[in-house]
Short mmCIF file of all heavy atoms in Angstrom, two decimals:
data_model
loop_
_atom_site.label_atom_id
_atom_site.label_comp_id
_atom_site.label_asym_id
_atom_site.label_seq_id
_atom_site.Cartn_x
_atom_site.Cartn_y
_atom_site.Cartn_z
N ILE M 1141 -22.75 33.35 -41.26
CA ILE M 1141 -23.82 34.35 -41.42
C ILE M 1141 -25.11 33.89 -40.87
O ILE M 1141 -25.80 34.64 -40.16
CB ILE M 1141 -23.94 34.75 -42.90
CG1 ILE M 1141 -22.73 35.60 -43.32
CG2 ILE M 1141 -25.23 35.52 -43.15
CD1 ILE M 1141 -22.80 36.17 -44.68
N PHE M 1142 -25.44 32.65 -41.07
CA PHE M 1142 -26.64 32.08 -40.53
C PHE M 1142 -26.59 32.12 -38.95
O PHE M 1142 -27.63 32.38 -38.35
CB PHE M 1142 -26.81 30.62 -41.01
CG PHE M 1142 -28.27 30.27 -41.29
CD1 PHE M 1142 -29.11 31.19 -41.97
CD2 PHE M 1142 -28.79 29.02 -41.03
CE1 PHE M 1142 -30.38 30.85 -42.25
CE2 PHE M 1142 -30.07 28.70 -41.29
CZ PHE M 1142 -30.90 29.62 -41.94
N MET M 1143 -25.43 31.91 -38.39
CA MET M 1143 -25.29 31.99 -36.95
C MET M 1143 -25.57 33.44 -36.50
O MET M 1143 -26.34 33.62 -35.52
CB MET M 1143 -23.86 31.61 -36.60
CG MET M 1143 -23.56 31.65 -35.08
SD MET M 1143 -21.85 31.11 -34.75
CE MET M 1143 -20.91 32.65 -35.17
N GLY M 1144 -25.06 34.42 -37.23
CA GLY M 1144 -25.29 35.82 -36.90
C GLY M 1144 -26.82 36.16 -37.03
O GLY M 1144 -27.33 36.86 -36.22
N VAL M 1145 -27.45 35.60 -38.09
CA VAL M 1145 -28.86 35.86 -38.26
C VAL M 1145 -29.62 35.28 -37.07
O VAL M 1145 -30.52 35.88 -36.56
CB VAL M 1145 -29.32 35.26 -39.62
CG1 VAL M 1145 -30.87 35.31 -39.74
CG2 VAL M 1145 -28.67 35.95 -40.80
N GLY M 1146 -29.17 34.07 -36.68
CA GLY M 1146 -29.82 33.43 -35.50
C GLY M 1146 -29.69 34.37 -34.27
O GLY M 1146 -30.64 34.52 -33.47
N ALA M 1147 -28.55 34.99 -34.10
CA ALA M 1147 -28.31 35.87 -32.97
C ALA M 1147 -29.11 37.14 -33.08
O ALA M 1147 -29.32 37.82 -32.08
CB ALA M 1147 -26.83 36.17 -32.85
N MET M 1148 -29.57 37.47 -34.30
CA MET M 1148 -30.34 38.67 -34.43
C MET M 1148 -31.85 38.39 -34.46
O MET M 1148 -32.68 39.33 -34.45
CB MET M 1148 -30.00 39.34 -35.78
CG MET M 1148 -28.59 39.94 -35.73
SD MET M 1148 -28.29 41.10 -37.09
CE MET M 1148 -27.81 39.95 -38.39
N THR M 1149 -32.24 37.12 -34.49
CA THR M 1149 -33.65 36.74 -34.65
C THR M 1149 -34.35 36.58 -33.29
O THR M 1149 -33.85 35.84 -32.40
CB THR M 1149 -33.79 35.42 -35.45
OG1 THR M 1149 -33.19 35.61 -36.72
CG2 THR M 1149 -35.26 35.09 -35.65
N ASP M 1150 -35.50 37.26 -33.14
CA ASP M 1150 -36.28 37.09 -31.96
C ASP M 1150 -37.48 36.12 -32.32
O ASP M 1150 -38.34 36.50 -33.13
CB ASP M 1150 -36.84 38.45 -31.54
CG ASP M 1150 -37.78 38.33 -30.32
OD1 ASP M 1150 -37.82 37.22 -29.77
OD2 ASP M 1150 -38.43 39.36 -29.98
N PHE M 1151 -37.46 34.96 -31.74
CA PHE M 1151 -38.54 33.99 -32.07
C PHE M 1151 -39.77 34.21 -31.23
O PHE M 1151 -40.73 33.43 -31.31
CB PHE M 1151 -38.04 32.58 -31.87
CG PHE M 1151 -37.23 32.07 -33.04
CD1 PHE M 1151 -35.87 32.02 -33.00
CD2 PHE M 1151 -37.85 31.72 -34.24
CE1 PHE M 1151 -35.11 31.62 -34.11
CE2 PHE M 1151 -37.08 31.26 -35.33
CZ PHE M 1151 -35.73 31.21 -35.28
N GLY M 1152 -39.77 35.28 -30.45
CA GLY M 1152 -40.89 35.60 -29.53
C GLY M 1152 -42.25 35.46 -30.24
O GLY M 1152 -43.11 34.77 -29.78
N PRO M 1153 -42.45 36.20 -31.36
CA PRO M 1153 -43.77 36.20 -31.96
C PRO M 1153 -44.18 34.79 -32.42
O PRO M 1153 -45.41 34.49 -32.35
CB PRO M 1153 -43.57 37.08 -33.21
CG PRO M 1153 -42.41 37.97 -32.87
CD PRO M 1153 -41.52 37.15 -31.99
N MET M 1154 -43.25 33.96 -32.76
CA MET M 1154 -43.67 32.58 -33.16
C MET M 1154 -43.98 31.79 -31.93
O MET M 1154 -44.90 30.93 -31.94
CB MET M 1154 -42.50 31.95 -33.92
CG MET M 1154 -42.90 30.80 -34.75
SD MET M 1154 -41.47 29.86 -35.34
CE MET M 1154 -41.52 28.54 -34.13
N LEU M 1155 -43.24 32.00 -30.85
CA LEU M 1155 -43.51 31.18 -29.62
C LEU M 1155 -44.88 31.61 -29.06
O LEU M 1155 -45.53 30.79 -28.39
CB LEU M 1155 -42.36 31.42 -28.62
CG LEU M 1155 -41.00 30.95 -29.17
CD1 LEU M 1155 -39.97 31.21 -28.04
CD2 LEU M 1155 -41.02 29.48 -29.49
N ALA M 1156 -45.22 32.89 -29.20
CA ALA M 1156 -46.50 33.35 -28.67
C ALA M 1156 -47.64 32.71 -29.38
O ALA M 1156 -48.71 32.51 -28.81
CB ALA M 1156 -46.53 34.87 -28.73
N ASN M 1157 -47.51 32.43 -30.70
CA ASN M 1157 -48.58 31.86 -31.44
C ASN M 1157 -48.01 30.79 -32.36
O ASN M 1157 -47.89 30.95 -33.55
CB ASN M 1157 -49.24 33.04 -32.23
CG ASN M 1157 -50.54 32.59 -32.83
OD1 ASN M 1157 -51.00 31.48 -32.60
ND2 ASN M 1157 -51.20 33.51 -33.56
N PRO M 1158 -47.66 29.64 -31.76
CA PRO M 1158 -46.91 28.64 -32.54
C PRO M 1158 -47.58 28.14 -33.75
O PRO M 1158 -46.90 27.72 -34.74
CB PRO M 1158 -46.63 27.51 -31.55
CG PRO M 1158 -47.53 27.75 -30.39
CD PRO M 1158 -47.90 29.22 -30.36
N LYS M 1159 -48.91 28.16 -33.78
CA LYS M 1159 -49.58 27.58 -34.96
C LYS M 1159 -49.17 28.26 -36.22
O LYS M 1159 -49.21 27.71 -37.34
CB LYS M 1159 -51.10 27.67 -34.78
CG LYS M 1159 -51.70 26.44 -34.04
CD LYS M 1159 -53.23 26.63 -33.96
CE LYS M 1159 -53.52 27.93 -33.27
NZ LYS M 1159 -54.96 28.19 -33.19
N THR M 1160 -48.81 29.56 -36.13
CA THR M 1160 -48.47 30.30 -37.32
C THR M 1160 -47.20 29.75 -37.94
O THR M 1160 -46.90 30.06 -39.13
CB THR M 1160 -48.21 31.81 -37.03
OG1 THR M 1160 -47.15 31.92 -36.05
CG2 THR M 1160 -49.47 32.46 -36.46
N ALA M 1161 -46.47 28.88 -37.23
CA ALA M 1161 -45.32 28.25 -37.81
C ALA M 1161 -45.70 27.39 -38.98
O ALA M 1161 -44.93 27.19 -39.94
CB ALA M 1161 -44.57 27.44 -36.79
N LEU M 1162 -46.92 26.88 -39.04
CA LEU M 1162 -47.34 26.04 -40.15
C LEU M 1162 -47.37 26.81 -41.46
O LEU M 1162 -47.20 26.30 -42.55
CB LEU M 1162 -48.70 25.40 -39.84
CG LEU M 1162 -48.74 24.49 -38.63
CD1 LEU M 1162 -50.12 23.88 -38.41
CD2 LEU M 1162 -47.70 23.39 -38.78
N LEU M 1163 -47.65 28.09 -41.35
CA LEU M 1163 -47.63 28.93 -42.54
C LEU M 1163 -46.19 28.96 -43.11
O LEU M 1163 -46.01 29.01 -44.34
CB LEU M 1163 -48.02 30.38 -42.22
CG LEU M 1163 -49.42 30.46 -41.52
CD1 LEU M 1163 -49.64 31.88 -41.05
CD2 LEU M 1163 -50.52 30.04 -42.49
N GLY M 1164 -45.20 28.94 -42.24
CA GLY M 1164 -43.79 28.87 -42.67
C GLY M 1164 -43.49 27.54 -43.32
O GLY M 1164 -42.51 27.43 -44.07
N ALA M 1165 -44.25 26.51 -42.97
CA ALA M 1165 -44.09 25.22 -43.64
C ALA M 1165 -44.68 25.25 -45.05
O ALA M 1165 -44.08 24.90 -46.01
CB ALA M 1165 -44.72 24.10 -42.85
#
Side-chain angles (χ1 to χ4, degrees):
Chain M
I1141 288 187
F1142 219 39
M1143 181 178 80
V1145 172
M1148 290 194 277
T1149 302
D1150 177 9
F1151 281 101
M1154 201 193 99
L1155 299 180
N1157 195 0
K1159 273 180 304 176
T1160 60
L1162 297 181
L1163 304 171

